[in-house]
Amino acid sequence: MVALARKTLFREWRRFLPAVLTVCFAGLLLIVQAALVLGIFGSAAIYVTASSGDLWVGYPGTQSVNLGRPIYRDVEMLLRMNPAVTRVEPFLWVDADWHATGVGGVAVSVVGIDPSVKGMVFDHMLSPTLRQDLQEPGSIVVGKADLGQLGVQAGDHAWINGHRVHIVAVIPGLRALGGVNVISSLDTAHNLDPHAGFVTYYVAKLADYAQAPVVAENLNGNPAFGPYQVWTAPAFALRSQLFWMFDTGAGIAVVFLAVIVVLVGAVIASQTLTAVVISLAAEYATLNALGVGMPSLRWVVMEQATWIGGLGLIGGGLLSAVLLVVAHGQNVPVAMTPQVGLICGGLVLALALISGLLAMRGLLRADPASLLR
Amino acid sequence: MFAPSLSGLAASVASDKVVPSLVAEGISKSFVSGIVRTQILERFSFSILPQELTLISGPSGCGKSTLLSILSGLQPADGGRVLALGQDLGQLKSRNLEHFRLRYTGFVFQGFNLFSALTACEQVKLPLAYMGIKGAEANRRVMAVLEEVGMSQHAHLRPTALSGGEKQRVAIARALVKTPKLLFADEPTSALDASSGQVVIDLLHRIARDHGTTVLCVSHDPRLIQHADRVLVMEDGAINREWRSGGHPAARAMVGADTLK
Ligand SMILES: Nc1ncnc2c1ncn2[C@@H]1O[C@H](COP(=O)(O)OP(=O)(O)OP(=O)(O)O)[C@@H](O)[C@H]1O
Ligand SMILES: [Mg+2]
């Protein structure tokens, strides 16, 4: 079998290059857009995703982590009574007002966590020594990306709700949606605003995390402990991310933009491919005269479209990877998951195949009767 | 689908009764451009024999190429019948017509229409894959036809590295590798210099003789006219002169017979 499609493509790559580049850039756009959205909206659930708890218990119907309301401390009893639960710790959310030298009135979210070395919340981000430092009353940790807004450096002092706090450390990766995050111990957070209650969430660890959905279901709906609702950690994270995505309209915008990228990319790539098909019209017509059917010729075009899609995808993928690594290094919120990566890849291939279908029009010129004049 | 009487054909070539392999029965063709309707062919009838090189000649624009494309099933006639190898081409749907061409016909065009990305060897091998001939058998056939057209030394060259005459020989090999019963050529030598043209003429002649192929050629080329077994001169949509030069015994016996219906 002579690989006509591939040989033409590689031999005359210059003519196919615009199509490959189109696919490449369309892929880059799709992937970077998805990575930014995942990065930005993924940070809506950073409290959940940077923690090792398996269950999150909060006020019923809470749409997003930052929208929590106080729950009764009795819920802790409910959790501890369940044999599947191995550890329970509270999480306190306090909305507060930040002042520092030269900076005033910044709205911050103080996240009060269990600072013990075994603590689950933010255990992906805080080293044991840092946790120890947080046990000192009035000590806080802030994110590197927020330093400018807060007007402080590590070691500085500032005031939250009029209480003096000490920045014991600055950590990377603590960027969240909807404002600036400050991490403190539960006690420190409670002292900053005694009206915020003691507990916004309980975070629980299970002996076997695979049991989380079952345990969550069993725990739900016990009116004796006041209003509460139990979610598995992934479910609560997704809930927060989706809330932000659709509350801000970004979800629809992303879908809209993806459709535009695919359609525009397909049209541009098909122009190049059609031009190549038309330039080979006499050769294709000769094959048709010799009895090679039109479906086989269309297949040649589709094969080329697939190659263009594949090469563009590799190029776009590599380019995106480099760009995302650089962006990540610059503290730009980017993230990628295998599922979303696959969806982007699928869209890029769909783009290429659509361009192939459009380019088949070029074969109308391959009329063998026109060779005889 | 279609059932050309090939075995009957082969047997009859050996005997004195030669069965025509290509018959036109009262074919007409006209083209409409705007409100003007031009009749190119009007109730045109003739038949062509296997194993010889038949040449159609005539002034420019008289409808030679149109006739060739109708006889080869590349476009339909407005009226009349074309019987190719006993098969009425008008009865075949386009898919079956493609299949008929794949199985039985070869083409050589004035422009060589070779894929610039493929080597001579690959150009020739290309149609074979679509006929379901692959692997060693395909390679054997390709090398045999390239040898036959004298291009085996150049099997690995792409069209940019070939002369016009060499390209046309590759194009002929591409048509020949299918072992067609019918070979159509439209002005195969007009883009070539004298010696390359002569090589192509000799090749076409040899193909008719050695393979028993029906070779139908359209040309103004006087050298081709000299070498053809039979020459038909067309004018105003009809054949107004015809002669034979030599030809094989069976064909000679046909002279004077009703080949011109
Ligand atoms: N598809 C078409 N539409 C309209 N007119 C056509 C078409 N094909 C051919 N013709 C006309 O039919 C006439 C015969 O054309 P044809 O190509 O058969 O001539 P020819 O004998 O091969 O001429 P030449 O020797 O110059 O190649 C010409 O006048 C041409 O303009
Ligand atoms: Mg012509």
Side-chain angles (χ1 to χ4, degrees):
Chain A
M1 189 78 196
V2 179
L4 176 61
R6 177 171 54 82
K7 293 219 156 114
T8 306
L9 192 109
F10 283 95
R11 200 72 208 165
E12 290 166 31
W13 60 272
R14 264 172 244 271
R15 301 169 66 189
F16 290 90
L17 190 61
V20 176
L21 287 180
T22 303
V23 174
C24 188
F25 286 123
L28 182 72
L29 275 174
L30 287 173
I31 293 171
V32 168
Q33 171 189 279
L36 278 172
V37 166
L38 283 181
I40 293 168
F41 292 97
S43 64
I46 189 168
Y47 323 94
V48 183
T49 51
S51 304
S52 59
D54 299 318
L55 295 180
W56 282 66
V57 186
Y59 197 81
T62 302
Q63 300 260 41
S64 168
V65 188
N66 63 310
L67 300 177
R69 289 169 58 177
I71 56 174
Y72 291 121
R73 292 163 95 175
D74 301 350
V75 175
E76 182 168 357
M77 286 310 298
L78 169 78
L79 293 170
R80 290 199 186 282
M81 275 168 5
N82 190 303
V85 174
T86 55
R87 185 181 161 84
V88 179
E89 78 183 52
F91 175 110
L92 177 59
W93 183 284
V94 177
D95 287 316
D97 200 37
W98 170 279
H99 284 265
T101 327
V103 177
V106 180
V108 296
S109 303
V110 181
V111 176
I113 64 163
D114 179 347
S116 66
V117 176
K118 279 180 154 179
M120 296 178 284
V121 178
F122 285 135
D123 67 341
H124 299 343
M125 281 172 122
L126 301 175
S127 65
T129 36
L130 249 183
R131 296 188 93 92
Q132 214 130 38
D133 291 344
L134 279 178
Q135 290 171 13
E136 188 71 30
S139 15
I140 58 163
V141 169
V142 298
K144 197 173 162 190
D146 296 325
L147 285 181
Q149 219 176 333
L150 296 175
V152 288
Q153 294 295 327
D156 285 358
H157 289 274
W159 289 264
I160 297 179
N161 287 355
H163 298 265
R164 191 176 139 102
V165 291
H166 175 219
I167 295 120
V168 290
V170 172
I171 57 170
L174 184 67
R175 169 176 278 183
L177 272 178
V180 179
N181 282 297
V182 172
I183 301 176
S184 75
S185 69
L186 282 163
D187 292 336
T188 304
H190 181 70
N191 285 335
L192 294 176
D193 181 5
H195 304 295
F198 287 94
V199 183
T200 318
Y201 300 99
Y202 277 110
V203 183
K205 183 136 198 96
L206 302 181
D208 175 13
Y209 81 91
Q211 293 298 312
V214 180
V215 178
E217 200 173 305
N218 288 342
L219 286 171
N220 269 324
N222 197 332
F225 296 86
Y228 71 90
Q229 187 174 354
V230 186
W231 296 274
T232 64
F236 195 49
L238 188 65
R239 194 177 164 82
S240 303
Q241 289 161 358
L242 288 180
F243 170 79
W244 275 93
M245 233 184 254
F246 289 98
D247 185 58
T248 56
I252 302 298
V254 164
V255 173
F256 185 70
L257 220 68
V259 169
I260 295 211
V261 166
V262 169
L263 288 185
V264 171
V267 169
I268 296 177
S270 79
Q271 293 294 319
T272 303
L273 195 52
T274 307
V276 177
V277 171
I278 288 176
S279 75
L280 293 175
E283 285 84 342
Y284 285 135
T286 303
L287 282 187
N288 186 242
L290 290 173
V292 176
M294 268 297 158
S296 305
L297 297 181
R298 288 194 199 104
W299 186 245
V300 172
V301 176
M302 282 318 272
E303 231 179 293
Q304 281 169 345
T306 310
W307 274 104
I308 289 172
L311 293 174
L313 189 59
I314 293 172
L318 290 178
L319 216 59
S320 309
V322 171
L323 213 69
L324 293 185
V325 166
V326 171
H328 190 71
Q330 299 297 310
N331 261 326
V332 177
V334 287
M336 188 42 71
T337 67
Q339 291 95 325
V340 174
L342 277 179
I343 291 174
C344 289
L347 284 175
V348 169
L349 286 182
L351 180 166
L353 294 182
I354 293 172
S355 80
L357 289 173
L358 292 174
M360 280 180 185
R361 283 169 308 154
L363 283 177
L364 294 176
R365 307 270 184 105
D367 172 18
S370 68
L371 297 175
L372 292 170
R373 280 290 150 81
Chain B
M1 231 172 1
F2 42 80
S5 51
L6 288 178
S7 50
L9 193 77
S12 59
V13 169
S15 79
D16 275 357
K17 264 179 63 197
V18 179
V19 176
S21 46
L22 197 57
V23 180
E25 288 179 359
I27 56 173
S28 306
K29 184 79 186 177
S30 60
F31 290 109
V32 180
S33 54
I35 51 162
V36 187
R37 185 184 177 86
T38 323
Q39 193 75 31
I40 309 294
L41 302 171
E42 188 152 18
R43 298 221 253 133
F44 193 99
S45 299
F46 75 136
S47 50
I48 295 173
L49 303 180
Q51 213 174 355
E52 58 180 27
L53 171 56
T54 306
L55 183 88
I56 299 178
S57 188
S60 181
C62 70
K64 305 181 297 294
S65 298
T66 307
L67 177 65
L68 198 67
S69 72
I70 291 172
L71 292 177
S72 59
L74 293 185
Q75 66 175 312
D78 296 339
R81 280 209 307 172
V82 176
L83 292 171
L85 307 172
Q87 169 68 47
D88 183 351
L89 295 184
Q91 298 294 311
L92 296 178
K93 293 195 194 71
S94 82
R95 184 64 62 86
N96 292 343
L97 204 52
E98 276 170 355
H99 197 254
F100 181 88
R101 294 203 301 263
L102 185 62
R103 182 69 193 81
Y104 297 111
T105 59
F107 285 89
V108 178
F109 300 104
Q110 177 181 350
F112 319 116
N113 303 342
L114 298 174
F115 286 95
S116 54
L118 301 185
T119 63
C121 178
E122 289 162 346
Q123 312 271 6
V124 176
K125 202 193 269 185
L126 190 54
L128 283 183
Y130 295 99
M131 296 176 76
I133 298 167
K134 287 173 189 157
E137 166 66 5
N139 289 333
R140 191 193 59 72
R141 278 211 198 186
V142 169
M143 289 326 290
V145 289
L146 283 176
E147 181 71 47
E148 186 168 354
V149 301
M151 287 296 293
S152 48
Q153 300 303 312
H154 297 70
H156 299 292
L157 295 184
R158 293 194 171 73
T160 43
L162 297 175
S163 73
E166 288 168 338
K167 282 186 223 177
Q168 193 60 300
R169 275 143 73 190
V170 173
I172 292 173
R174 173 170 67 178
L176 199 56
V177 76
K178 299 166 64 195
T179 58
K181 293 284 170 210
L182 307 169
L183 180 61
F184 298 93
D186 190 25
E187 314 270 7
T189 58
S190 63
L192 305 179
D193 65 68
S195 62
S196 303
Q198 191 59 49
V199 171
V200 167
I201 292 164
D202 291 344
L203 258 174
L204 291 175
H205 207 172
R206 225 172 46 225
I207 290 163
R209 287 291 174 85
D210 298 354
H211 299 273
T213 308
T214 307
V215 182
L216 180 59
C217 186
V218 164
S219 182
H220 311 287
D221 192 334
R223 290 163 302 162
L224 249 174
I225 295 173
Q226 278 170 29
H227 283 77
D229 296 310
R230 180 181 171 208
V231 179
L232 305 169
V233 181
M234 229 179 123
E235 214 154 333
D236 298 331
I239 287 173
N240 68 357
R241 259 186 315 143
E242 173 191 0
W243 70 86
R244 289 188 167 277
S245 66
H248 61 77
R252 229 177 280 125
M254 291 286 294
V255 177
D258 60 342
T259 51
L260 230 176
K261 283 181 187 165

